[in-house]
Amino acid sequence: MKKKIVVLGCTGSIGKSTLKILDEFSDLFQVVGLTAHSNKNQLDELSKKYNCKNICLSNPSADGVEGIKRVIADSCADICVNGIAGAAGLLPSIYTLENGINLALANKETIVMASHIVYELAAKNKCKILPVDSEHSAIFNLVEKFGKDSIESVVLTASGGPFRTFTKEQLKKVTVEDALKHPTWNMGQKITIDSATLANKALEVIEAVKLFGVPASKVEVTIHPQSLVHSLIRTKDGVLYSQMSHPDMCHPILSALTWPDFTKSSLPPLDLSNNPVENPLTCTFAKPDLEKFPMLALGFKAASLGNAYPIAFNAANEVAVEAFINHKIGFYDISRITENVLSKDWSKLPVTYDEVLLFDSMARDFAKEQLC
């Protein structure tokens, strides 16, 4: 029997990669729901291609979040892939779990903002949260194989973004156009900027703490420009184990969709030995520079403090990144605004979705004040 799949954000980078996998494995999967934010023409084309009439445009001038809620509720799906970017992806994750549907999660903010709420929902409705980020997918599968009790720490790899070799003086002068040129991954604007500031890795640190139940002191970050190692675990005997593959999001998406099984695909395997002498395969690792990239240090701070600090970090960063994209602030103003917001008191843990939204709104207001 085919697994029934809903794809949220089907016209974005995660959505497109998911549909690529579903095309290859049409004998295993059936598309039963599609959402896009505003690309109506592409959504209509995909609706026809997959003979899926359970669709919606999620922007406020169209169906909005109620449309997403309807698509999920009407789907009778086995798995919902949440490829929606930013805080807007939280409510769709909640809708998915409320309907007892396994959640293949590419939306970091769901875990960063409300991990305790979504995990309670998952437990209550007997469904699974399956990470789709390449780093957390790697750790998830390694933990599944080795067992949580064997883990001493987790190691997240980071490409380092387009400014890995820049000096701090050079970083002060970078433009939006510079920041949107990622050396490895093809992603949306917001995530690409986050990769340039290392805020993306900061969010992944917070996410790792919440996904795998490890303290922030047990999460390491290493700069790995080749993006072939997609994170590691360090077992209690001091040994490192990694997951390696080409940098293609189809790998973690396929892993989530076929979990707990492994399925052979047409994705090219990583060949460690079939490389010319003059161009050998290399893997390098280096310590991140927290002075040049303060967003990563702020992410560790938010992860360590917990409670509503991760919500404040995410909200401030989203406001600042939008302002940077619109040429209203400079590159280092992103970290300045985020640090100022984190200096407030966020020590209360929100216990309901409404409280999560309240803290998110407060943090955004504080961030917007910094733009004046």
Side-chain angles (χ1 to χ4, degrees):
M1 184 180 295
K2 293 183 180 181
K3 284 185 180 179
K4 297 176 182 178
I5 312 295
V6 170
V7 185
L8 306 180
C10 66
T11 61
S13 59
I14 292 294
K16 289 176 180 176
S17 294
T18 301
L19 294 175
K20 181 179 176 182
I21 290 293
L22 300 183
D23 287 342
E24 179 177 353
F25 296 98
S26 58
D27 58 326
L28 297 181
F29 304 115
Q30 176 187 355
V31 178
V32 294
L34 295 166
T35 79
H37 184 66
S38 56
N39 196 330
K40 184 179 186 304
N41 290 339
Q42 196 170 346
L43 180 63
D44 288 341
E45 289 175 9
L46 293 172
S47 174
K48 292 176 184 176
K49 176 180 178 179
Y50 295 104
N51 191 27
C52 175
K53 294 181 171 54
N54 187 27
I55 64 174
C56 85
L57 281 178
S58 61
N59 70 76
S61 61
D63 301 308
V65 292
E66 286 301 313
I68 296 177
K69 184 176 184 178
R70 173 187 52 76
V71 167
I72 294 170
D74 293 349
S75 68
C76 297
D78 298 298
I79 302 176
C80 178
V81 179
N82 187 350
I84 297 172
L90 172 56
L91 197 52
S93 292
I94 289 175
Y95 290 152
T96 298
L97 298 171
E98 283 178 340
N99 281 273
I101 299 170
N102 285 344
L103 177 62
L105 187 60
N107 176 266
K108 294 178 177 64
E109 291 77 9
T110 292
I111 299 299
V112 169
M113 296 173 68
S115 62
H116 53 296
I117 294 173
V118 295
Y119 271 109
E120 285 177 9
L121 270 176
K124 176 183 176 182
N125 295 306
K126 297 180 174 57
C127 42
K128 193 81 173 177
I129 297 175
L130 303 162
V132 168
D133 268 346
S134 61
E135 294 83 0
H136 297 98
S137 173
I139 296 168
F140 174 83
N141 281 293
L142 289 165
V143 171
E144 287 271 301
K145 298 304 173 187
F146 285 84
K148 183 179 176 181
D149 291 341
S150 69
I151 309 302
E152 174 62 24
S153 62
V154 299
V155 184
L156 298 171
T157 52
S159 70
F163 308 134
R164 177 175 52 87
T165 61
F166 278 36
T167 65
K168 193 168 184 179
E169 289 305 311
Q170 287 176 305
L171 284 170
K172 291 177 182 178
K173 301 174 184 176
V174 299
T175 65
V176 176
E177 291 71 27
D178 295 329
L180 289 174
K181 297 174 185 175
H182 195 279
T184 308
W185 299 96
N186 180 21
M187 306 173 291
Q189 280 193 332
K190 195 266 180 182
I191 297 177
T192 305
I193 300 297
D194 281 352
S195 294
T197 64
L198 292 194
N200 196 50
K201 204 54 51 179
L203 289 167
E204 289 176 8
V205 168
I206 298 169
E207 196 177 3
V209 167
K210 294 173 179 291
L211 280 172
F212 306 112
V214 295
S217 60
K218 297 291 186 179
V219 179
E220 306 169 39
V221 172
T222 183
I223 303 299
H224 170 52
Q226 297 81 14
S227 298
L228 298 174
V229 176
H230 303 289
S231 293
L232 312 91
I233 59 167
R234 191 186 306 277
T235 49
K236 288 181 177 177
D237 57 2
V239 176
L240 286 170
Y241 296 90
S242 72
Q243 185 262 314
M244 299 179 68
S245 67
H246 290 291
D248 187 330
M249 285 304 297
C250 287
H251 286 293
I253 292 168
L254 177 62
S255 176
L257 292 178
T258 59
W259 181 89
D261 301 318
F262 291 90
T263 302
K264 186 175 179 60
S265 77
S266 62
L267 295 168
L270 180 61
D271 191 334
L272 297 178
S273 57
N274 189 24
N275 298 282
V277 173
E278 63 275 10
N279 188 27
L281 181 70
T282 58
C283 287
T284 60
F285 303 92
K287 186 177 181 179
D289 189 329
L290 299 183
E291 184 179 348
K292 284 199 306 184
F293 298 99
M295 287 299 287
L296 182 54
L298 293 171
F300 270 104
K301 176 181 177 180
S304 298
L305 293 172
N307 296 320
Y309 281 91
I311 298 172
F313 174 89
N314 178 71
N317 178 60
E318 284 196 11
V319 169
V321 168
E322 183 179 2
F324 176 65
I325 290 172
N326 291 324
H327 303 278
K328 294 180 179 179
I329 62 172
F331 185 77
Y332 269 125
D333 288 323
I334 298 174
S335 56
R336 174 185 62 79
I337 290 168
T338 304
E339 184 172 17
N340 286 342
V341 171
L342 285 182
S343 69
K344 307 287 185 180
D345 182 5
W346 303 100
S347 57
K348 182 181 177 183
L349 177 68
V351 294
T352 67
Y353 173 70
D354 287 340
E355 288 184 352
V356 169
L357 291 188
L358 175 61
F359 284 119
D360 177 73
S361 177
M362 290 169 58
R364 288 174 192 275
D365 288 342
F366 285 136
K368 289 172 184 175
E369 289 174 6
Q370 307 296 316
L371 301 177
C372 301

